[in-house]
Amino acid sequence: MLPIRCPWCGEREQTEFSYGGEAHIVRPTDSADLTDAEWGDYVFFRTNPRGLHYERWFHAFGCRRWFNMARDTVSGAIHGTYRPGEPRTDVPDAPRVPVAGGDGGEG
Amino acid sequence: MKRYSIFSLVRNALSYHENWPKAWRSPDPKPAYDVIIIGGGGHGLATAYYLAKEHGITNVAVLEKSWIGGGNTGRNTTIVRSNYLMPESLALYDHALKLWEDLSQDLNYNVMFSPRGLLHLAHNVHDMQEIGRRGHAINAAGVDSEFVTREQVKAMVPIINLDCRYPVMGGLLQKRGGVARHDAVAWGYARGADARGVDIIQNCAVTGFRMDGGRVQGVETTRGFIAAPRIGVVVAGNSGALAAMAGFRLPIETTPLQAMVSEPLKPIIDCVVMSNTIHAYISQSDKGELVIGGSSDPYNSYAQRGSFDQIEHVVGPIVELYPALSRIRLMRHWAGITDITVDRSPIMSKTPVEGLFINCGWGTGGFKATPGSGHVFAHCLALGDLTPMAAPFTMDRFHTGALIDEGAAAAVAH
Amino acid sequence: MAQPLRLAAGGRVDRGRTLRFTFDGRTYTGHPGDTLASALLANGVRLLGRSYKYHRPRGLYSAGAEEPSALVTLGAGARAEPNTRATQVELFDGLVARSQNAWPALGFDVSAVIGAFSRFLPAGFYYKTFMWPKSLWMTYEKVIRDAAGPVHGPRQADPDRYEQRYAHCDVLVVGAGPAGLMAALAAGRTGARVILADDQPEAGGGLLTDPAGIGGGAGLDWVRATVAALADMPEVTVLPRTTVVGYHDYNYLGALERVTDHLPPDAGGNAPRQRLWKIRAKQVVLATGAIERPLVFADNDRPGVMLAGAARTYMNRFGVLPGREMVVFTNNDGAYATALDAASHGARVQVVDLRPDPRGPLPEAAREAGIPIHAGATVCGVAGSKAVTGVRVRALSDDGKGLAGPAKSLPCSVLAMSGGWTPTVHLFSQARGKLAFSADLGAFVPAAGDPLNPNRPAGACNGSLGLDACLREGREAGLAAAHDTGHVADHPPDLPLADSLPQEPPRLLWTLPAEKAGTAGEKTQFVDLMGDVTVADVRLAEREGYASVEHLKRYTATGMGTDQGKTSNINAMAIMADARGVTIPEVGHTTFRPNYVPVAFGAVAGRSVGDLFQQARPTAMHEWHVAQGAVFEDVGDWKRPWYFPRPGETMHDAVQRECKAVRTSVGIVDASTLGKIDIQGPDAADLLNMVYTNAWSKLGIGRCRYGVMLNEHGMIFDDGVTTRLGEHHYHMTTTTGGAARVMSWLEEWLQTEWPDMRVFCTSVTEQWAVAALNGPRSRELLAGLTDIDLDPETFPFMAMKEGTVAGIPARVYRISFTGEMAYEVNVPAGYGLALWQALMDRGAAFDICPYGTETMHVLRAEKGFIIAGQDTDGTVTPHDAAMDWIVSKKKADFIGRRSLFRADTMRPGRMQLVGLLTEDPAVVLPEGAQVAERAQAGQAFAAIGHVTSSYMSPNVGRSIALAMVADGFNRTGQTLSVPTLDGRVHRAVVGGTVFFDPEGERARG
Amino acid sequence: MAEQQAPITAPIRRGPLDGRAPVTADGVSLTLPAFAGKLVLRGGSDDGAFTAAAAKVLGAGLPLAPNTAARGPRGLALWLGPTEWMVHVDADTCDALAAELTAAFAGLHAAVVDVSDYYAVMRLGGPRARDVLAKGCPLDLHPDRFDVDHCAQTRFVASAILLHQVDVGPTYDIQVRWSFADFLWTYLADAMREFTSR
């Protein structure tokens, strides 16, 4: 059970949260112009890294806010949480993780 | 390979078992093979075995970064069944089940496949509709499946509490389903493949692919470069990492799946019982341990460890459904790492790299598919193309939308 | 004398009180402070069980959690507790225990004959046999299964209670031996919040075995003073009888407190049997001690062969002499303390030491005490089957690999052995800690902790076996752990001086030469007693290639027993290393997994079983439904009335009656469980336009509209009616099962994708109780109870008005899930029952009929209204569901829109929702039945679809069904086959989905 | 159309725990406080116009610090999230207050939602209240971490709860959804059983 620091409520146990998958995947606004493959990439394909993962969590039993978390999928280390729209938690020495879509716009 | 038989057993007993040969060799890798299988789990070893046995392709290496059978093959709850909903899945898993039925004899290695019956419980109207649909679909495909009443459930599982919080309304039974001895599957395939000339190379991690003009040339490993024109990636739990080495992504997320065993008891549950609503499944190993699992931990992880609250989420329902097990003790729990696709169906596919094939995404249910997965994938590798049984499971389906959606159609986890 | 081996004095037992207990039906006595093991030993009971595989006689091997042999079934009936270590059971009056794995009796076990065939049953023999003929495997397997488990489990429900609780602390100290006590004291002095957990009923750890002095006094006096000091610290919690069983990430640890297990059944009052503590600790000090290693020699599993430290524990803690004639067999100095103590109690003691010339202070003391020492020698045989009667001893060759000289027979009733000590690193390893092999100790010791789980091993757990080192490391660890949580002691405790004798290094010989050469000798040298794994098995595993440490474990079952190999693992690794010709660290170790000791499922489930398993959610009208005899349906966690049977009615009767009543007069259904979301803000319509497929910008205030939500895959995932309450104010309804999901869905998109949208969504699901009136006389009924003008001109279909109903403030929605004239009356939930009763009272004049979900489903099916999740399954687009009309062609975007234009979703011939009418109108197809173009009874067929909904409709006057059929829209008029599992093949004609009132006039009337 | 007629009996408003007798044990009791009106206020913590309007009507500022509650002349405001507060008021004044707030929020991006009946509140008090809560609530309720007029949305076993510490007793008010109230009450009463002598 991870202790997760909600950016609003502070540290709470994982059982108060639900997981929302990879963060910073921007929904295409020009979907009509996308090929099936490009659209399929957005809907189904994820980075799924071994290592640093930027991901979304929802404080379902708390303030009901979505936020982002940087966590290592191997070591289990949580490097930080931050609100949507805030810059990513800087993780020194962490491997650079490619982001969906390549250019990594903030969500 | 020296065949196992009553005679060999007696003969070796008389010599105090001092003359048994190695079950498989530990050769040094050759510079080049016709086919390389990356991943020495059940699926990879089965692929190698069938490549040699069915297709005569014996110049094959299986590269395992650690010890064979050490991934999900050795960490699952050993359940074998084929009662899936979608026709494509049914065909594939029942192909596997038919291979299971003769596997011990085929391998000359007792994998202890035990078709003791597998029961899905229905606890509400929605469950009844779900098993109603699945039961009929399975029967339509000519696979065995029957509905059982509450009373029949009780007769099959006397310690069940039918009137638990979600009363048991009925069930769906696949008599041919059951369990097998998970480690033995890897060992039996390894022994069989080895006997046919396949090199099983343990402690050999792949560190990269060598490619030329979009074609794979071979793999870089911790034991040097090994060439092969055709390579199959069969590395559940690490598929994404291998795909990244080859420069493509997969529609997969990797999550922990936990399981546990109790202390051993004399037989108390004689079939496999699964429940979607209560979300736990249970069987009893031949050693007498209750083998229990539930749903995956929700988040991406490669750590082979899950969260204790997930254990509680499984054990609570088990005690609710089987109150007599409350005093039985949970001996050990552990986690495997599973590659989950959005439609809960596997991927057997060509990749953007020519000559490189991938077999992954079996999620929480790969063990049962082991022989079928190996058999079909071996055929694909031999053919250089996808067979009809594999064709629906390509990665393309995530672009066209032609999902094989066992998840959406409410198939059970695991 | 009742307890022949009980010492006259000494130990921690209360001889003033006598407790009676039975083992295998015979009554014995013991004293408070005894364990079942010590009491049995005091009574001279040697034979306690039979081994797992060969049914060899087994006795007491240890005095703690590592016990691999003395497993009993405690209690009886519903309280029977199999596989219980006698060493961990505190004795109480009336305790009942039985031996396991023996039939018909422990002393005469028929299955022991298996031992004679042990040569045919080496490791892995299962994999090589039982394959012929194939048809017999299930028969073989039954025999294997029946033989394998040691004992039957209880068949009745467990009558005991289990509790759980969360706890938070700065420092958790695991183990209340000298290191742990010192750590807790040091940390406690800083004011930090400390939890000290120990598995024994009293603190002291190794000091309960070893009466060493501390600070100039008796060690146990220091323990007493320290415990008293801890009790005076308000932020310190001491948990005796509490075993830390699992160490999870971020210092989250599970600890099992045995609250009343030491009391007779039902003597614990309202206290639970056990309590699982779930502790989040900022820092952890692991003072878990060490476990003694057995030596591996022929017949080292006989009853009477035990660990030397355990033998000492029985003397010093329990006041029991393990035997009057003792041979101590050791590779180290420590075991001489056992010899000295036994001699002081009058036992005849001899020592066999693998080392040629032991000269440490303890061996010298033994010499002075006149204890014979057979140095440079080994035990190579044990006499006695059900109890040791003597040992054979021979000199070792210089390299320790062979025997030299003649055999001597030493008579004895107990053989106390010591192969050195293995630090108890289980929790450290579970916490991702890295281990390193210590050649000095011959064991793995903590090397590097993982930053995720800040902890400090101290004392024996850390490989520091001396008492002085334990105290020093405990103090340092306690202070440092507290410091790391921001706590510093003004007056840290002084480090007391401790009695510690220097010891010479052990002679590590992992296997000892046997008199018989090769496998013949190795097959009675037990490595893992619980799994009956011998040296021969380990060597066979290597020979066959199962050489990795994990293959060894799995092939031989080493370490797979309920003791998880606490006494066997390191020996097995060492023997494998020898077989492979590599070092022990090259072999490595297996992963330590939770639980450290097995934990009752009941404790993991806690109180959340039975009535407290999972809440059953009632609506505001629930008690009325109960009083009316409603049969309930579980919908998620909700209890919804399924149907309201009248006396003598079957479900079918009731549903047919209810269905007719609604369409002829008026029915009332409790629709409170539908999800409800209050949506407010200037951009609310924009949100609706994105989450629904149809257009919302032009919906008038006070008007309602049906909408369908898609996921981004383009598949229907929920539906419902949304009403515009004001300029920027909407009220959304969802399906019952989808309520939480849709709420989260809206929040997700708003917060993560469209943060600039000015919309607030607030769940109001249970604010409103909903009674829905359906039927041609619904208006007439409602009119008598409301101040709302129900004139259909001003209050048409798909409109909402506010007013009072039965004097209650209400919102009334003219929406219909039955196709009838209908009014859904929403009132604050507190008035739900009052509303319902008023409607029923007034409705009596209209023959009002309460109906449940089943009738609701029939009525909506008559109209072809889908139920998301029944007629759709996550693979269905609106087009597939024959609902093209709900997809806006004008909107540039909505969630899931792009997916509707993929190759597969545009493909002709997809599964499409159609109506099916059986040729025989009396046949109600089973839901889920598969549809074929043509099928023959009893034969496999290619299914082209399946029945999603199927009912006998009294209003249509026949059966009706909805089905998803491939290319269904183009099959209108086709006759399809529907085989059922009873072997029949029904024929049914494809048609539209609306079976009743196709013009829809009734709802609008 | 028929004339409207008076209802046969005057409507009775009731909560899911009505009629529950208090549960007592050594050092802890479980009781029902008086029924309160409950309003959810929505608006931005950083929206000065909204917070000012709310403060003006309520007579006291909304608690802007997470996990805190503030008592004002018209009721108790509990922080739920950065855009959300729960206001407990005297039931009789709830409608009027809601109307005043709605009026005060005119033109703002703000909302008032009456949830009086959605939730029930039960009160757990006494020196052992923390021990009872610890059986299902993962929060650290040590007084150094959670004190009077701290509040938190969290869980007790499977129930989502709003926990508010009322006094140093400690006394806690536990708000839960209607359909979970009976279950939570039963669970808490069961959790107290350990502290009863019979």
Side-chain angles (χ1 to χ4, degrees), chain A residues 13 27 39 56 66 78, chain C residues 250 280 712 748 751 899:
Chain A
E13 295 295 349
R27 185 173 188 272
W39 178 251
R56 305 185 309 160
W66 284 85
I78 295 172
Chain C
Y250 281 98
R280 183 72 77 178
E712 199 72 290
E748 176 180 351
Q751 293 179 29
S899 286

Side-chain angles (χ1 to χ4, degrees), chain C residues 677-680 684 688 692 696 699-707 720-733 795 798-802 811-815 824 826:
Chain C
I677 301 169
D678 181 275
I679 301 175
Q680 298 193 46
L688 297 176
Y692 281 131
W696 291 82
L699 183 68
I701 293 173
R703 294 302 161 112
C704 317
R705 182 167 289 168
Y706 173 75
V721 171
T722 293
T723 302
R724 187 170 181 188
L725 300 175
E727 180 65 23
H728 300 309
H729 192 182
Y730 295 81
H731 176 84
M732 175 185 281
T733 63
F795 192 0
M798 297 306 272
M800 185 284 299
K801 289 201 172 196
E802 291 187 80
R811 287 179 187 165
V812 178
Y813 299 78
R814 254 204 87 180
I815 55 182
E824 295 200 352
N826 285 234

Side-chain angles (χ1 to χ4, degrees), chain C residues 368-402:
Chain C
E368 282 171 30
I371 295 172
I373 298 173
H374 307 270
T378 183
V379 173
C380 57
V382 179
S385 165
K386 291 172 195 164
V388 173
T389 58
V391 295
R392 287 165 62 78
V393 175
R394 288 179 71 178
L396 278 171
S397 63
D398 288 347
D399 65 0
K401 292 179 178 171

Side-chain angles (χ1 to χ4, degrees), chain B residues 3 8 10 19 22 44 67 85 120 123-125 133 138 141 210 230 235 250 263 269 277 287 291 303 315 346 381 405:
Chain B
R3 285 191 67 79
S8 72
V10 170
N19 298 317
K22 291 264 188 283
W67 42 282
L85 177 63
H120 277 102
H123 298 268
N124 54 42
V125 174
R133 178 181 174 192
I138 295 162
R210 194 179 288 178
R230 217 166 263 173
V235 290
L250 293 171
E263 296 181 341
I269 289 184
T277 290
K287 279 164 65 183
V291 184
V315 171
L381 285 170
D405 209 334

Side-chain angles (χ1 to χ4, degrees), chain C residues 197-222:
Chain C
D198 187 85
D199 71 342
Q200 294 298 314
E202 62 175 327
L207 293 168
L208 297 171
T209 292
D210 179 359
I214 294 179
L220 288 177
D221 289 340
W222 176 83

Side-chain angles (χ1 to χ4, degrees), chain A residues 8 20 56-58 64-67 84, chain C residues 744 747-748 751-752:
Chain A
W8 288 275
R56 305 185 309 160
W57 288 82
F58 176 53
R64 299 191 66 81
R65 303 301 294 187
W66 284 85
F67 60 91
Chain C
S744 297
E747 289 170 316
E748 176 180 351
Q751 293 179 29
T752 68

Side-chain angles (χ1 to χ4, degrees), chain B residues 150 154 160-168 320-321:
Chain B
R150 238 170 96 81
K154 183 72 181 173
I160 202 166
N161 172 20
L162 289 179
D163 294 309
C164 62
R165 165 65 181 84
Y166 301 104
V168 176
E320 173 69 7
L321 202 51

